Amino acid sequence: MGEKRIRAEYESVAVSTRMRLARNFKDYPFPGRLLSDPHAAEQSGEMIRLLSAALAGVEDFTLYEMESIPEETAARLKERYLISRELMRNRKISAALISRDESISVMINEEDHLRVQYFMKGYDLHRAYERIAGIDDIISDSIPFAYDEKLGYLTACPTNLGTGLRASVMLFLPALARRGRMKRIIPTLTRLGLTVRGVFGEGSGAEGDLFQISNEITLGLDEEELLFGVEQAVSIIVETELLERGRMKAEEGIELKDKIFRSYGILSSCCRLKEKEFSARISDLKLGTVLGYMGREGSMSELDQLAIAMRPASIRALAGCELGEEEGAIFRAEYVAKKIKEMGLLS
């Protein structure tokens, strides 16, 4: 029972794990050169066909060719972290294979020929690595990768040379972020060869007190060393966040509780709700859940799903039509109020 409670506390900070591999094929120009190649369409089409065939027995994948899918579909996929801005920029040659449960995304002709991603809820770097390594083996059996005995896997960006592995953990850090502690933690992580990004990766902000911790260096270290480095950093940050939550609760007391319940009142009753305010207030509810003020088992996951559903493209899909800023704020308020009440956070 104690072990289960400790795991739940840990995963109230380390909420999800992502593993990503960068790969290029031996006999094709890298995407940067492929874009200007007169045979780009033929070569990219061949890569897509080979990959689709190689992965046919792994999962039930849907193929999205960037040049032909609607903008709205691309925007929704990006909001769910399944494709990137770079993939959308390379529309003429890029595509994505996405599994039915959205746990696997294979981006084709992004910065590299392949960006294979595996997502899982909770925190388990080794399990996530085993899953993506299996997919990597299946692909390499069908299509040889560009590889150098000294440098390892060859990639478009030097920071991905070597293993091409990026191990990331999404951390919910409201106490450290709101009490100004992250400013001291980030430089330390940078010195250790790690990087801190927002929800959508490089260049994005820490929306909803969420931070993505991952390795920056892939050259000169093997996979186990990379995973160990990220694991050690996450362990320290999780323990620090849990301690800071305790201090926050003790020191801010009724003021903190009042702020959380005011956010609940607004989200369950307001008539207009803009995206920025929603993001801040849903984070308050998540904080209230982890501090024991509200919620039940599964509440954090439901709140996370609601946060994704309330992004602009996802809202338009739910509404079934184009919405202006004011219309979107009204729709968001109505939808959120309904969902928050259904969750029974105060029961």
Side-chain angles (χ1 to χ4, degrees), residues 188-215:
T188 302
L189 293 174
T190 302
R191 288 195 294 273
L192 293 172
L194 301 167
T195 186
V196 182
R197 296 187 171 109
V199 175
F200 292 105
E202 192 170 357
S204 65
E207 173 190 309
D209 298 317
L210 289 167
F211 296 82
Q212 195 179 144
I213 310 296
S214 60
N215 60 295

Side-chain angles (χ1 to χ4, degrees), residues 143-309:
I143 320 168
F145 291 136
Y147 185 84
D148 180 87
E149 288 298 327
K150 290 183 179 179
L151 297 175
Y153 291 100
L154 302 180
T155 55
C157 180
T159 58
N160 290 315
L161 280 171
T163 62
L165 177 67
R166 186 66 55 89
S168 304
V169 182
M170 192 70 77
L171 303 176
F172 178 53
L173 304 175
L176 291 175
R178 298 181 192 197
R179 288 162 71 86
R181 306 294 193 261
M182 286 303 293
K183 293 176 184 176
R184 287 183 287 185
I185 291 172
I186 291 173
T188 302
L189 293 174
T190 302
R191 288 195 294 273
L192 293 172
L194 301 167
T195 186
V196 182
R197 296 187 171 109
V199 175
F200 292 105
E202 192 170 357
S204 65
E207 173 190 309
D209 298 317
L210 289 167
F211 296 82
Q212 195 179 144
I213 310 296
S214 60
N215 60 295
E216 182 69 29
I217 300 166
T218 65
L219 183 62
L221 298 171
D222 64 26
E223 289 83 356
E224 281 300 319
E225 289 171 320
L226 291 177
L227 295 179
F228 179 77
V230 176
E231 198 169 52
Q232 291 293 99
V234 168
S235 180
I236 292 167
I237 295 170
V238 167
E239 294 299 328
T240 307
E241 168 68 18
L242 291 172
L243 286 171
E244 199 63 36
R245 286 179 187 177
R247 294 191 189 103
M248 189 181 195
K249 190 174 182 179
E251 293 170 10
E252 298 182 25
I254 193 67
E255 184 181 348
L256 175 62
K257 191 172 183 180
D258 181 66
K259 176 177 168 53
I260 289 166
F261 278 89
R262 281 178 183 274
S263 287
Y264 176 87
I266 288 169
L267 291 181
S268 61
S269 307
C270 70
C271 299
R272 294 168 67 252
L273 187 59
K274 292 189 176 180
E275 185 181 9
K276 188 173 181 180
E277 181 181 10
F278 167 74
S279 178
R281 296 200 182 278
I282 202 76
S283 184
D284 283 345
L285 266 59
K286 288 166 63 178
L287 178 58
T289 299
V290 300
L291 293 181
Y293 291 143
M294 60 177 62
R296 51 179 171 70
E297 188 175 349
S299 292
M300 278 284 284
S301 178
E302 290 177 352
L303 290 167
D304 282 333
Q305 289 170 16
L306 181 59
I308 293 170

Side-chain angles (χ1 to χ4, degrees), residues 35-53:
L35 276 168
S36 57
D37 192 296
H39 303 291
E42 180 185 336
Q43 292 185 85
S44 62
E46 187 174 52
M47 278 188 265
I48 292 166
R49 286 192 298 274
L50 288 169
L51 277 166
S52 297

Side-chain angles (χ1 to χ4, degrees), residues 104-140:
I104 304 169
S105 166
V106 181
M107 292 189 284
I108 305 162
N109 288 325
E110 195 231 32
E111 185 178 54
D112 296 291
H113 288 145
L114 278 189
R115 288 290 174 94
V116 185
Q117 301 182 104
Y118 175 67
F119 306 88
M120 61 173 285
K121 291 179 182 177
Y123 174 57
D124 195 330
L125 285 168
H126 293 277
R127 179 181 155 202
Y129 173 69
E130 285 172 10
R131 182 72 172 111
I132 205 169
I135 296 167
D136 189 48
D137 289 343
I138 289 168
I139 296 171
S140 65

Side-chain angles (χ1 to χ4, degrees), residues 333-344:
E334 292 175 351
Y335 188 91
V336 168
K338 180 175 179 288
K339 290 295 181 182
I340 291 292
K341 289 169 185 172
E342 287 175 357
M343 286 179 196

